[in-house]
Amino acid sequence: MFFRTAEESFELSDRQKEGYNTEPLLPSLPTQKTYDYVLVAHLVDDERDQKAQRQRAFIQKLEEKNITVKRIEHDDKVFFGIRAPNEMFKDYQYLLKVSDSCNWCGDVKGSVTQATRNYFGEKVALYYLWLGWYTKLLVPAAALGVVVFLYGIAFFNNNPLIKEVCQSSIIMCPRCDKRCVVWQLSDTCTYAKVSHLFDNEGTVAFAMCMAIWATLFLELWKRHRARHVSQWKVYDWCEEEEELILEIVNDPNCKPNQFRHSYLRSTVVLFLVTVMLMLIIGLAHALVVFRVVAAPLMSEGSWEFIRDHANTVAVMLGAVLHYLTIQIMTRVNRWVSLKLCDIERNFTVKMFTFQFFTLFSSLFYVAFFLGRINGHPGNYVRIAGWRLEECHPSGCLTDLFIQMAVIMLLKQTLNNIFEFIVPWLKSCLRRKTAKKLQRKCGHCYRKACRDEQGRIEPCDVCNLRHWLSNYQLAHTDAFSLFNEFLEMVVQFSFTTIFVAAFPLAPLLALINNVFEIRLDAIKMVRLERRLVPRKTNDIGVWTKVLEVIGVLAVIANGLVIGVSSDFIPRLVYRYRYGPCANGSTSTHCMQGYINDTLSTAFVRHQAVRTDFIPDQMITDGFNVTQCSYRDYRSDEDYTLTSQFWLVLAVRFAFVILFEHVVVVCKFIAAWFVPNNPIQVKNDRLHDKLARLKEELR
């Protein structure tokens, strides 16, 4: 248990804090008397300095409460070892026992999670418990994603859609103004093959399974959490009562901090959050403009590969630029969230909302707007004179896959490297300054120096050596654990929301988490100062955030399959316009699908001649009089055909049906899996009965 006070001139450094398990790792050695905190301040020679006066006043207040203070000076720092009296801990434990905030009935030993809880507290233990559970349940999701990916590979060579693209002689319209020329559809054979790997029939079933998986994960996590917090005897813990107990122990005449709410403050915060979200969406539009401008510029480059794959390279560069934007905006979002907390609290929700829009605004454009608002020959939509991007005739899902793959790989790989390497380098550099204090003195281990319990009081040299070794570690604060949670919840969003476009996302998340758990453990134990242990019985507001992500996953995946992918157009063609619609069995049902999704633009039309200059309509030395583009439009007046409206109606019908079916499945799964195991309920009954009997005696 800790009594942390705010003082701007002090820094927390000591890792050996009381209130949790402090048994020595080597039982043969005598137990040292440790300090609950070590406060570090700059050494001020001038006693009249205002900062020095505040330090003295603060230390005097601690000594008035019978708290032991040990002062040791070293170079330009002064260390204050703080040790609270045993009576203070006894008062805290007694008040906690008689309150309703904790079912205090002993302890459980032996598990790895229990050891983590004893050293770091329940808050850190729950983080590792949640991360371990999330990683364990990623195994079936990753296996299913690999199966869907292998399904696409299995029918790779026999797919008629790929053959139709690779063997096509269709001439496509230029992708951009002036610089681009007409091109052969068969030139994009490789792109069509990649598209089929992530846009096939198995994607629908996989997206539905992942939406149900997200619900099962949360429900099973609640059971897993209930089992452990019951063993830790904090099932009924209440933060408000805990704070009241700490206040009473610190000051018996204290008054509670009353709850306050202001509609004016909430309105101001809502307005400022909206302004910030508009700014983030504006950055997403800037990324769109970058791709729109980059694609035609690369189309006339000197490198043949980049010239032939200008659109794909532009998407990849846009993804890299998006990653850099994420890194910059993360710091901006944190600063804005902290400033907004001065008006109204709830930092977690604000920070996650900003991060979510920063990460997914560009992805939502690629998923739902790319290739659908660009117009057609003779009436193209332009931004500052530049034509908007178009989708490949094989579909738009590959662009979304490329965007997600680049961001996930860069974010997970580089973040893990920097999160581990930076504290490690700082630790190596700072460790050299404490080498002269590495030798232990023999005085502190003599039997004559031990008290009645066999404990020893280390000398100043030993204390300073120990304090410096911890002070040289990387700094930690209240946001250290928050950052870890935010990183994992963002990864959970990638794993569920657009998983229909990237079935391998759970596999990448699983591989990352296997390293993440171990790197975080090494970082917290060896490279960073010990986090202040905190009591809790849940991961807090993150549970609500995960539930919201689960709902968004249903909506987003339904829209990705129904709107972004070619699943619905292929379904309509198979049963309404394809060879099998007329009862023919001699040819494949999807034969001619690619050609059916293309419309023709004739150069003789005045509007088309305005968009395409003569130099663009030349291929192999011959002038082209017509070209094809992806859309359902009439060749005469370029109006939308009846097939477009039929496909659109089926798209919306599928999205509604998909979301209702999945939501019903989610509710059934949530009902079928109760939050609390029966064993936990029975154990709590026995604990309460034992406690009442003890109080009666």
Side-chain angles (χ1 to χ4, degrees):
M1 193 270 304
F2 306 91
F3 299 88
R4 189 177 188 180
T5 54
E7 182 71 9
E8 62 181 6
S9 58
F10 291 119
E11 292 183 52
L12 176 68
S13 85
D14 185 37
R15 295 158 60 90
Q16 302 298 325
K17 306 179 181 75
E18 301 218 14
Y20 285 80
N21 188 16
T22 56
E23 296 180 1
L25 297 178
L26 299 175
S28 60
L29 295 178
T31 305
Q32 295 187 18
K33 289 184 177 180
T34 58
Y35 289 87
D36 305 323
Y37 278 103
V38 173
L39 305 177
V40 185
H42 292 287
L43 184 61
V44 182
D45 296 329
D46 187 3
E47 296 295 331
R48 294 171 297 179
D49 185 81
Q50 188 177 6
K51 183 178 292 186
Q53 293 177 1
R54 287 201 305 267
Q55 291 177 6
R56 286 198 305 272
F58 179 73
I59 296 300
Q60 288 175 0
K61 288 183 179 179
L62 295 180
E63 292 174 341
E64 290 173 0
K65 296 179 181 180
N66 199 24
I67 294 177
T68 303
V69 179
K70 181 75 171 181
R71 176 188 172 100
I72 301 177
E73 296 182 3
H74 177 72
D75 293 340
D76 62 338
K77 300 287 184 181
V78 55
F79 294 79
F80 296 91
I82 308 298
R83 182 189 298 155
N86 291 331
E87 292 76 13
M88 192 173 288
F89 292 104
K90 290 179 181 178
D91 292 342
Y92 166 78
Q93 291 179 347
Y94 175 77
L95 291 174
L96 192 66
K97 183 178 180 179
V98 299
S99 71
D100 296 327
S101 66
C102 184
N103 46 325
W104 191 280
C105 299
D107 207 348
V108 180
K109 296 183 179 180
S111 66
V112 175
T113 308
Q114 184 68 18
T116 306
R117 175 234 174 186
N118 284 342
Y119 188 72
F120 285 109
E122 285 84 357
K123 199 166 189 177
V124 175
L126 275 172
Y127 164 71
Y128 281 103
L129 187 69
W130 177 83
L131 182 56
W133 185 251
Y134 170 47
T135 304
K136 185 183 298 183
L137 287 194
L138 275 175
V139 174
L144 188 59
V146 172
V147 169
V148 173
F149 180 73
L150 294 177
Y151 172 82
I153 295 178
F155 299 94
F156 195 77
N157 296 322
N158 299 326
N159 189 274
L161 304 183
I162 296 177
K163 291 182 178 179
E164 188 173 354
V165 172
C166 297
Q167 299 174 4
S168 175
S169 59
I170 297 176
I171 298 176
M172 304 296 295
C173 294
R175 296 190 180 97
C176 62
D177 294 331
K178 298 180 181 179
R179 299 178 176 86
C180 303
V181 297
V182 292
W183 51 284
Q184 294 282 344
L185 179 60
S186 57
D187 294 340
T188 58
C189 178
T190 303
Y191 193 98
K193 293 179 179 179
V194 174
S195 297
H196 179 68
L197 294 178
F198 303 98
D199 189 3
N200 53 64
E201 293 78 4
T203 304
V204 181
F206 180 63
M208 184 177 296
C209 290
M210 284 302 297
I212 299 173
W213 173 88
T215 300
L216 288 175
F217 162 72
L218 285 176
E219 297 303 320
L220 293 175
W221 156 247
K222 293 175 183 176
R223 291 172 58 87
H224 193 59
R225 178 205 64 86
R227 188 178 294 110
H228 280 78
V229 297
S230 178
Q231 292 175 354
W232 298 344
K233 309 304 178 185
V234 292
Y235 189 95
D236 298 317
W237 176 86
C238 175
E239 184 178 6
E240 296 171 9
E241 268 195 83
E242 174 90 3
E243 293 297 330
L244 288 175
I245 291 172
L246 293 176
E247 290 292 338
I248 292 174
V249 172
N250 185 51
D251 180 12
N253 300 318
C254 68
K255 295 182 180 179
N257 294 324
Q258 298 182 353
F259 296 100
R260 293 181 175 86
H261 177 73
S262 171
Y263 288 102
L264 177 60
R265 288 173 177 263
S266 299
T267 304
V268 172
V269 170
L270 183 61
F271 173 76
L272 295 177
V273 168
T274 304
V275 172
M276 184 64 184
L277 294 181
M278 296 301 295
L279 174 63
I280 294 173
I281 294 174
L283 290 177
H285 290 164
L287 294 175
V288 173
V289 174
F290 168 80
R291 288 198 297 265
V292 168
V293 175
L297 292 178
M298 287 186 290
S299 299
E300 59 178 8
S302 57
W303 291 2
E304 182 179 356
F305 177 81
I306 294 180
R307 188 170 59 248
D308 294 339
H309 303 85
N311 282 356
T312 305
V313 175
V315 171
M316 296 184 69
L317 289 177
V320 174
L321 185 60
H322 187 195
Y323 169 76
L324 297 177
T325 305
I326 291 171
Q327 298 303 109
I328 297 173
M329 288 302 299
T330 297
R331 290 158 177 79
V332 176
N333 294 340
R334 182 185 302 278
W335 182 83
V336 173
S337 300
L338 286 173
K339 292 299 181 182
L340 290 177
C341 284
D342 294 337
I343 305 175
E344 185 188 57
R345 293 185 178 181
N346 213 338
F347 171 83
T348 301
V349 174
K350 296 181 181 68
M351 182 64 185
F352 176 78
T353 302
F354 294 152
Q355 283 295 95
F356 182 85
F357 274 81
T358 302
L359 286 160
F360 287 95
S361 293
S362 180
L363 293 177
F364 271 97
Y365 166 77
V366 174
F368 306 126
F369 297 99
L370 177 63
R372 292 170 180 81
I373 57 174
N374 59 301
H376 58 85
N379 189 25
Y380 281 119
V381 177
R382 291 175 169 83
I383 297 180
W386 300 88
R387 263 175 55 187
L388 289 182
E389 305 164 276
E390 297 181 13
C391 284
H392 187 269
S394 298
C396 301
L397 213 58
T398 303
D399 294 328
L400 181 59
F401 151 70
I402 293 173
Q403 188 96 347
M404 287 188 63
V406 171
I407 294 175
M408 280 197 73
L409 287 172
L410 287 177
K411 194 173 189 306
Q412 293 185 161
T413 305
L414 296 182
N415 280 13
N416 280 339
I417 291 175
F418 283 111
E419 283 182 9
F420 184 81
I421 293 296
V422 172
W424 180 75
L425 289 176
K426 289 182 179 179
S427 177
C428 291
L429 294 175
R430 292 174 176 176
R431 204 176 300 160
K432 296 179 180 180
T433 61
K435 280 188 175 180
K436 58 183 179 181
L437 295 171
Q438 288 298 314
R439 294 182 58 189
K440 298 180 181 179
C441 68
H443 172 75
C444 293
Y445 293 91
R446 295 188 304 177
K447 293 183 178 180
C449 298
R450 303 182 189 179
D451 61 9
E452 296 177 356
Q453 288 79 28
R455 298 177 301 178
I456 61 174
E457 182 71 50
C459 66
D460 289 356
V461 174
C462 290
N463 275 327
L464 182 60
R465 178 185 57 81
H466 176 64
W467 294 351
L468 277 175
S469 65
N470 288 275
Y471 181 69
Q472 304 300 335
L473 297 173
H475 174 70
T476 58
D477 53 27
F479 296 107
S480 298
L481 191 62
F482 171 84
N483 294 334
E484 303 296 341
F485 261 117
L486 180 62
E487 179 184 355
M488 289 297 100
V489 172
V490 167
Q491 184 204 85
F492 181 80
S493 304
F494 272 100
T495 307
T496 54
I497 290 182
F498 286 118
V499 72
F502 191 21
L504 296 180
L507 178 62
L508 292 182
L510 175 62
I511 296 173
N512 173 80
N513 288 4
V514 170
F515 292 97
E516 180 80 22
I517 294 175
R518 284 146 185 83
L519 291 177
D520 283 351
I522 295 173
K523 182 175 63 175
M524 287 187 182
V525 173
R526 299 180 60 184
L527 303 178
E528 293 181 341
R529 299 175 192 171
R530 181 182 176 187
L531 289 168
V532 178
R534 301 286 187 184
K535 277 190 180 298
T536 187
N537 60 358
D538 200 357
I539 58 175
V541 72
W542 291 117
T543 302
K544 299 295 183 183
V545 172
L546 292 172
E547 291 176 350
V548 172
I549 293 173
V551 175
L552 290 177
V554 176
I555 299 173
N557 283 299
L559 291 173
V560 167
I561 297 171
V563 177
S564 304
S565 75
D566 271 11
F567 173 75
I568 297 302
R570 288 198 295 261
L571 198 67
V572 171
Y573 179 79
R574 177 188 290 269
Y575 295 106
R576 184 68 176 85
Y577 298 100
C580 296
N582 300 323
S584 174
T585 58
S586 58
T587 58
H588 195 282
C589 293
M590 298 304 297
Q591 191 72 33
Y593 167 76
I594 297 295
N595 188 51
D596 182 71
T597 60
L598 300 177
S599 299
T600 304
F602 294 95
V603 180
R604 65 175 182 268
H605 286 120
Q606 180 63 35
V608 176
R609 285 201 301 270
T610 304
D611 281 335
F612 301 143
I613 61 177
D615 292 342
Q616 291 182 277
M617 307 302 292
I618 299 176
T619 178
D620 296 331
F622 296 96
N623 290 327
V624 176
T625 59
Q626 65 184 47
C627 60
S628 300
Y629 61 98
R630 179 184 169 87
D631 209 343
Y632 294 105
R633 291 188 178 274
S634 169
D635 297 341
E636 300 298 329
D637 54 2
Y638 300 103
T639 57
L640 295 171
T641 62
S642 59
Q643 186 175 355
F644 169 84
W645 298 110
L646 177 60
V647 170
L648 183 64
V650 178
R651 284 184 189 273
F652 283 121
F654 172 83
V655 171
I656 295 173
L657 179 63
F658 176 88
E659 292 180 356
H660 280 70
V661 169
V662 175
V663 167
V664 169
C665 292
K666 284 169 66 70
F667 277 118
I668 293 175
W671 165 81
F672 189 77
V673 182
N675 293 344
N676 291 329
I678 297 298
Q679 182 181 356
V680 171
K681 294 182 179 179
N682 292 333
D683 289 344
R684 292 186 62 227
L685 285 176
H686 288 295
D687 286 344
K688 289 182 178 179
L689 181 61
R691 180 179 175 181
L692 291 173
K693 288 181 178 180
E694 182 181 355
E695 292 295 329
L696 184 62
R697 286 195 298 269

